[in-house]
Amino acid sequence: MGLNKFRAKSPWILHYNAGSCNGCDIEILACLSPKYDVERFGMINTGNPKQSDILLITGPVTERCRERLVDLYSQMPEPKVVVACGSCASTGGVFRDMYGTECGVDNYIPVDVSVPGCACRPEQIMQGVVAALGILAQKNKDIEKPVRLAGKVTEQDGQTNRRELAGTLEATNAKN
Amino acid sequence: MKRTLTIPMGSQHIALLEPLHFRFTCENEKIVGVDADVGYVHRGIELACASKFKFRQVSFVVGRVCGLCSISHTTAYSQAAERLLGLDISKKAKYLRILVIELDRLHSHLLCLAHTAENTGFEALFMQIMRDREASMELLELVTGNRVQFDYSCVGGVTRDITTDIEKELTRKLAKLKTDLEELYEVFRTNWSLSLRYKGVGALNAQQIKELNAVGPLARAAGVAIDVRSDTEDLLPWKEVGYKMMVEQTGDVYARNIVRFREMFNSFEIIENVLRGMPQGDLVTETKANPQGEAVSRLEAPRGELFYYIKGNNTPVLERVKIKAPTFSNVAAFIEIFKGQEYASVPPILASLDPCLSCTAR
Ligand code: SF4
């Protein structure tokens, strides 16, 4: 109970550089400096995916980085929020369609907040991270929601049709 | 009893800003072997510069090779392109380039020092340096319009002028920054706990530096006087604006920090001279020609010698762009430095080397 209540008050950040130019990374570092001071939101920069709630990604995802990126994402415990910092993390930016890059983070893992700018300013990063906090709190609540299966679970080709299952679930949640 | 351990570090690690992978082989606490993998950031910029972008756009694309020294990349490329086109840019543009390069050196060196302090475990010093560094970021924003990616140099000159207001603000803030830095210099020189972590740690001598072909503050800290600024007078007038070579002898982490501090104090003098002697002239020299032939250009980035080679074939798209970044020359020296050190000294040594992987792998 306590953990869930206070998670959004003290989120821990994991930062991964997926092939960026360092521009956005030093702006993330600048966010930690006394002038901007994200620590006043209770955030701490950690190096351990298993303890973090927010994943800050910079860079267009190079071919060598993408496995590590997915690895890190899957090691983080639920609920988690992904923030893509900078234009190149959001869409590929200048690096779009170069042979070593992959046009943005959301081709590989779901992104919750995209921060624009090349390089994104510390103020923008903070705005993005604060938006991420709201999403984190929401995800936290969603996890606790009781899930009741309503209606019939349909089967096609011997497999559960997950899309229809989600539809019935949503409908019941809306009713409650 | 000896036990041999293999400790991997990276590609994601709290002490690293960038994806870089080290594999240390340790005997008890001592490191006996090191393997480095620096290719995580390879994006393919060189090929894109020679196929996707026109030569005027390339100066902005190569800025994205590295965010810490984007002005060095754009300027080095622009100089090479100007050589190909036979352009003679105005003295004013040259002075403005020097101004931004030196401001960039300030912020880059301060970041490196802050990082060294943090990796040593001195969090308060990290915060203090980062606070002072914001002054240099504000000045960069004032002069160029952006905090990190300036796109300040273009082929033929620079993109923005400075006004008297900006000049006044520069002088005021730099004077403040200088007194702050003197305080920090005192801490780095005399703090006893820092000296335990820095003095005699991670040293290379001049002989090794020459054999391993290292450049930049790493080489100058070991008494090897190499600096591109001292021998490229034809590209930018460094001697005229009061450039001095800074050399230390011991080659350890301490000496590297001191070299960085002394270079920053030199940067203050250079900026002062640039502002005082700012000549009149055009910002951009225009031409309609297409690049033809081959050219190279060199520039001293904050981390050492940056080298560009470009080849044109009389079309708007270049045939070849080759970038050799300072960290690339230094990787061999990195490996040599780690051998024989305690494993606990790895983070401060690594930060003091100031690696820039996005430059190396491009
Ligand atoms: S968005 Fe721009 S500044 Fe940020 S990492 Fe990408 S290229 Fe660099």
Side-chain angles (χ1 to χ4, degrees):
Chain A
M1 172 61 209
L3 184 65
N4 284 341
K5 190 165 173 204
F6 296 115
R7 186 176 277 132
K9 298 260 192 282
S10 173
W12 285 20
I13 294 179
L14 176 71
H15 163 222
Y16 187 61
N17 176 333
S20 84
C21 79
N22 280 352
C24 292
D25 302 272
I26 55 175
E27 293 297 60
I28 290 175
L29 215 57
C31 279
L32 298 172
S33 76
K35 188 179 172 197
Y36 297 101
D37 195 17
V38 285
E39 288 189 9
R40 69 195 139 115
F41 298 111
M43 294 173 195
I44 297 178
N45 194 6
T46 73
N48 187 347
K50 300 207 164 122
Q51 294 173 339
S52 22
D53 307 295
I54 298 183
L55 177 59
L56 280 181
I57 304 170
T58 57
V61 188
T62 56
E63 235 161 74
R64 300 256 344 247
C65 281
R66 62 184 178 203
E67 278 152 39
R68 276 95 192 158
L69 179 67
V70 176
D71 217 16
L72 283 177
Y73 178 76
S74 50
Q75 282 185 33
M76 282 171 64
E78 290 283 350
K80 52 194 167 194
V81 182
V82 178
V83 181
C85 287
S87 357
C88 67
S90 308
T91 62
V94 266
F95 307 124
R96 204 177 171 87
D97 297 335
M98 287 188 188
Y99 67 83
T101 65
E102 301 279 350
C103 307
V105 176
D106 56 356
N107 293 340
Y108 288 94
I109 59 178
V111 174
D112 295 290
V113 183
S114 294
V115 181
C118 178
C120 45
R121 300 176 57 87
E123 290 93 340
Q124 287 176 315
I125 296 180
M126 265 153 50
Q127 198 185 6
V129 172
V130 171
L133 285 187
I135 296 176
L136 187 66
Q138 186 57 41
K139 282 194 176 174
N140 215 352
K141 274 190 203 136
D142 286 351
I143 279 188
E144 290 203 335
K145 248 189 209 156
V147 175
R148 238 183 295 138
L149 293 180
K152 264 209 302 263
V153 177
T154 50
E155 264 189 36
Q156 261 177 2
D157 312 330
Q159 286 197 330
T160 313
N161 186 342
R162 287 181 189 279
R163 190 166 289 155
E164 263 171 42
L165 182 60
T168 48
L169 268 183
E170 243 163 47
T172 36
N173 283 342
K175 239 185 277 161
N176 294 341
Chain B
M1 191 191 82
K2 264 189 192 167
R3 257 186 81 197
T4 311
L5 287 175
T6 309
I7 306 179
M9 177 173 173
S11 66
Q12 186 267 343
H13 190 276
I14 183 79
L16 298 170
L17 209 58
E18 303 166 272
L20 158 69
H21 182 78
F22 279 116
R23 189 174 282 273
F24 297 108
T25 314
C26 302
E27 257 171 25
N28 294 345
E29 287 285 300
K30 281 248 175 322
I31 297 171
V32 290
V34 189
D35 240 349
D37 182 347
V38 293
Y40 284 93
V41 209
H42 182 70
R43 289 155 292 186
I45 292 181
E46 282 181 3
L47 184 70
C49 286
S51 58
K52 235 175 103 181
F53 298 101
K54 298 209 176 92
F55 80 98
R56 276 177 205 286
Q57 298 169 320
V58 169
S59 77
F60 306 128
V61 178
V62 292
R64 266 77 181 171
V65 169
C66 172
L68 287 164
C69 43
S70 60
I71 180 70
S72 311
H73 281 276
T74 44
T75 310
Y77 169 77
S78 305
Q79 285 172 347
E82 280 148 18
R83 273 197 176 159
L84 274 194
L85 298 167
L87 270 187
D88 219 0
I89 71 165
S90 72
K91 195 145 186 207
K92 176 165 189 174
K94 285 185 181 174
Y95 264 58
L96 284 172
R97 279 179 182 179
I98 289 184
L99 171 69
V100 179
I101 289 174
E102 289 307 314
L103 279 174
D104 185 66
R105 194 181 310 278
L106 278 179
H107 106 75
S108 175
H109 278 359
L110 278 173
L111 184 77
C112 168
L113 290 167
H115 218 210
T116 316
E118 191 197 18
N119 284 358
T120 317
F122 202 159
E123 195 79 19
L125 188 59
F126 165 75
M127 288 295 177
Q128 196 181 344
I129 302 176
M130 287 305 277
R131 185 194 66 198
D132 297 341
R133 176 176 167 270
E134 279 304 316
S136 67
M137 299 302 279
E138 279 160 21
L139 290 179
L140 277 170
E141 185 176 3
L142 203 66
V143 175
T144 66
N146 201 358
R147 281 169 57 96
V148 173
Q149 287 291 358
F150 327 117
D151 297 340
Y152 195 66
S153 296
C154 57
V155 178
V158 294
T159 49
R160 273 168 88 120
D161 201 354
I162 61 170
T163 61
T164 37
D165 282 353
I166 294 179
E167 224 168 283
K168 259 191 225 139
E169 190 72 12
L170 269 172
T171 332
R172 192 176 66 79
K173 279 211 173 127
L174 282 178
K176 166 97 178 29
L177 183 59
K178 198 169 174 186
T179 46
D180 288 342
L181 282 196
E182 265 153 17
E183 222 174 85
L184 290 173
Y185 189 36
E186 198 59 31
V187 173
F188 270 90
R189 257 187 334 173
T190 56
N191 189 307
W192 181 71
S193 336
L194 282 185
S195 78
L196 292 180
R197 296 298 300 272
Y198 290 165
K199 283 200 180 156
V201 173
L204 273 192
N205 58 31
Q207 180 63 29
Q208 283 170 308
I209 291 280
K210 279 186 192 145
E211 277 167 13
L212 296 168
N213 223 345
V215 293
L218 179 61
R220 290 197 284 279
V224 181
I226 46 167
D227 190 327
V228 181
R229 285 180 285 176
S230 65
D231 48 38
T232 50
E233 205 55 19
D234 51 330
L235 290 171
L236 289 174
W238 288 108
K239 296 236 168 66
E240 213 174 286
V241 292
Y243 158 73
K244 287 194 217 74
M245 175 87 75
M246 298 297 167
V247 180
E248 287 284 322
Q249 297 306 327
T250 47
D252 50 7
V253 177
Y254 172 78
R256 272 171 236 142
N257 291 340
I258 297 300
V259 163
R260 293 212 167 91
F261 266 111
R262 289 175 52 202
E263 279 185 17
M264 284 194 285
F265 288 125
N266 187 215
S267 296
F268 285 120
E269 283 166 36
I270 294 178
I271 293 172
E272 219 169 86
N273 290 337
V274 163
L275 290 180
R276 203 179 303 131
M278 183 70 73
Q280 292 296 320
D282 294 332
L283 281 185
V284 186
T285 316
E286 297 283 354
T287 175
K288 289 236 159 52
N290 278 331
Q292 162 80 37
E294 294 172 293
V296 297
S297 98
R298 298 193 304 149
L299 190 85
E300 183 77 8
R303 286 162 187 73
E305 180 198 49
L306 177 64
F307 172 91
Y308 266 76
Y309 162 83
I310 63 174
K311 183 174 180 196
N313 49 3
N314 214 0
T315 56
V317 179
L318 294 169
E319 201 176 309
R320 177 88 171 100
V321 177
K322 163 80 192 147
I323 308 167
K324 203 211 73 176
T327 310
F328 183 73
S329 327
N330 285 346
V331 171
F334 289 1
I335 290 175
E336 213 49 46
I337 285 176
F338 281 123
K339 285 191 189 149
Q341 301 292 325
E342 303 261 309
Y343 182 73
S345 308
V346 165
I349 296 177
L350 189 58
S352 81
L353 297 172
D354 207 3
C356 179
L357 276 304
S358 24
C359 281
T360 312
R362 303 179 292 276

